[in-house]
Amino acid sequence: MDVNLFDFDLPRTLIAERPVSPRDAARLLHVQAGGLTDGVVGDLPRWLRPGDLLISNDTRVIPARLFGRKGEGGIELTLHERTSLDEWKAFARPAKKLRPGDEVRFADDFSATVAAKGEAGEVLMRFDRGGDDLMLALDAYGRLPLPPYIRKGEADERDRADYQTVFAREKGAVAAPTAGLHFTDALLTALESAGVTRTTITLHVGAGTFLPVKVDDTKDHRMHAERGVVTAEVADLVNRTKAAGGRVVAVGTTSLRLLESAADDDGVLHPFDGPTDIFITPGYRFRLVDVLMTNFHLPKSTLFMLVSAFAGLDRMHQAYAYAMNRGYRFYSYGDACLLERENPC
């Protein structure tokens, strides 16, 4: 499909620089066949149904932005995919200064070696430690990789709390699953009281989520892989929910992508532990997810393509135009929408 079909003009003033407080006071636009309804995230318990299953992403953002030196030159790395305990794929700036075998030093006692070079500024870095020791070093020397459209990607102390969801547990993401940022303990209690069941899955969101689509046709775009985990217990709960007539409600495009990756053609969810590079565009046949809660996304992005596949391209253009006219806040710290699938099972 022509990438320009997913373009729209967004005023810079609608890009949120900070989240609202409390988090569940963010606005929520309900998008369904019957039209558009304005609300707030706190309305979610009355917009979902008893028996629905809410599935969120429990990944935790790590300080994956590193500044080091190769000789006298400065190097910036943004880690985006772990390939082993001590190796990560990363986007480097300036990548042209790096060759396989080069050492990048971040501190006197912390360094990494270029194991391989890829395309478009990507490198494979082998660190001088792995596992929990590497996570400790990142905590000490890394910075939070805030999206580039928020304060030019420069995170501050407040972002350390703001850019983690209430579900965050499994370390490994370099970008937050932002739909989850709207949830509070009070909202989770209200959902439980409304008969909505909850569970979590894990997709470690990579920095590739920020990369623009640079091709003219969606068939030519390559998605970066992200590692996900769906346990056997979660798969069983999802399958029992569907069998009983309940709906699967995905919190965020990351949850949806993992669920669709782990489901078979008959809509049965299976345990999953591995990488997924699923790229969802209009024409995709959804196997499992019935309802999607998600933020408002960038024009011509893979995320806007996904929501257009889920709820319909024309409907999403109408919904985004409506949201812009009413001052909804966009992107990671912005407001959200609740999407009913265009073609439900």
Side-chain angles (χ1 to χ4, degrees), residues 136-197:
L136 288 172
L138 292 178
D139 286 338
Y141 300 110
R143 298 185 191 178
L144 195 73
L146 203 65
Y149 45 75
I150 298 177
R151 301 190 303 280
K152 297 182 178 180
E154 295 301 326
D156 58 24
E157 191 62 30
R158 181 175 165 184
D159 292 304
R160 287 183 174 270
D162 286 346
Y163 201 56
Q164 299 283 7
T165 74
V166 70
F167 310 107
R169 185 174 69 242
E170 302 293 335
K171 291 183 178 181
V174 300
T178 54
L181 295 177
H182 299 293
F183 286 80
T184 63
D185 290 334
L187 177 56
L188 296 180
T189 299
L191 286 164
E192 182 179 356
S193 298
V196 176
T197 307

Side-chain angles (χ1 to χ4, degrees), residues 31-33 242 247-248 256 260 284-292 307 309-312 315 338-345:
V31 181
Q32 52 188 327
K242 296 287 280 190
R247 299 183 302 173
V248 169
L256 181 146
E260 291 294 319
Y284 175 85
R285 186 179 72 84
F286 288 88
R287 303 166 177 177
L288 193 72
V289 177
D290 303 293
V291 181
L292 171 64
V307 298
F310 190 83
R315 188 191 296 175
L338 185 69
L339 309 179
E340 307 278 350
R341 234 173 70 188
E342 184 177 45
N343 298 305
C345 294

Side-chain angles (χ1 to χ4, degrees), residues 3 5 28 32 37 41 43 68 153 156 162 169 209 216 220 224 227-228 243 247 249 253 284 289 313 329 335 339:
V3 169
L5 292 172
L28 183 65
Q32 52 188 327
T37 306
V41 173
D43 294 325
D156 58 24
D162 286 346
R169 185 174 69 242
T209 190
D216 295 326
D220 297 320
H224 284 81
R227 182 174 175 271
R247 299 183 302 173
V249 182
T253 57
Y284 175 85
V289 177
L313 179 58
R329 302 161 74 246
D335 297 314
L339 309 179

Side-chain angles (χ1 to χ4, degrees), residues 260-281:
E260 291 294 319
S261 297
D264 64 25
D265 289 340
D266 295 323
V268 176
L269 188 65
H270 298 275
F272 185 96
D273 188 345
T276 176
D277 60 358
I278 188 172
F279 180 27
I280 296 175
T281 59

Side-chain angles (χ1 to χ4, degrees), residues 66-231:
L66 290 167
F67 293 85
R69 303 197 71 79
K70 193 207 87 170
E72 297 301 315
I75 299 291
E76 177 184 346
L77 296 175
T78 300
L79 312 185
H80 75 86
E81 182 188 351
R82 192 187 78 179
T83 58
S84 67
L85 289 176
D86 64 348
E87 289 187 341
W88 279 77
K89 291 182 180 179
F91 297 114
R93 293 197 307 177
K96 63 183 180 181
K97 289 187 176 181
L98 296 177
R99 299 287 184 271
D102 285 349
E103 181 186 63
V104 178
R105 186 159 291 278
F106 311 106
D108 289 343
D109 61 345
F110 181 36
S111 65
T113 301
V114 180
K117 288 196 70 172
E119 299 177 350
E122 187 179 69
V123 292
L124 177 65
M125 303 299 298
R126 181 177 299 118
F127 288 87
D128 61 4
R129 67 203 70 188
D132 291 341
D133 289 336
L134 177 54
M135 288 297 114
L136 288 172
L138 292 178
D139 286 338
Y141 300 110
R143 298 185 191 178
L144 195 73
L146 203 65
Y149 45 75
I150 298 177
R151 301 190 303 280
K152 297 182 178 180
E154 295 301 326
D156 58 24
E157 191 62 30
R158 181 175 165 184
D159 292 304
R160 287 183 174 270
D162 286 346
Y163 201 56
Q164 299 283 7
T165 74
V166 70
F167 310 107
R169 185 174 69 242
E170 302 293 335
K171 291 183 178 181
V174 300
T178 54
L181 295 177
H182 299 293
F183 286 80
T184 63
D185 290 334
L187 177 56
L188 296 180
T189 299
L191 286 164
E192 182 179 356
S193 298
V196 176
T197 307
R198 293 191 296 109
T199 192
T200 60
I201 55 180
T202 305
L203 185 74
H204 292 312
V205 191
T209 190
F210 300 138
L211 293 180
V213 176
K214 296 182 177 180
V215 296
D216 295 326
D217 195 298
T218 57
K219 66 179 175 59
D220 297 320
H221 179 70
R222 180 177 69 88
M223 292 285 285
H224 284 81
E226 297 165 318
R227 182 174 175 271
V229 178
V230 177
T231 66

Side-chain angles (χ1 to χ4, degrees), residues 9-41:
D9 292 322
L10 178 73
R12 181 67 179 82
T13 55
L14 293 182
I15 300 175
E17 295 288 328
R18 301 282 186 185
V20 299
S21 182
R23 294 185 180 204
D24 55 11
R27 298 171 72 183
L28 183 65
L29 180 63
H30 194 183
V31 181
Q32 52 188 327
L36 306 172
T37 306
D38 295 298
V40 297
V41 173

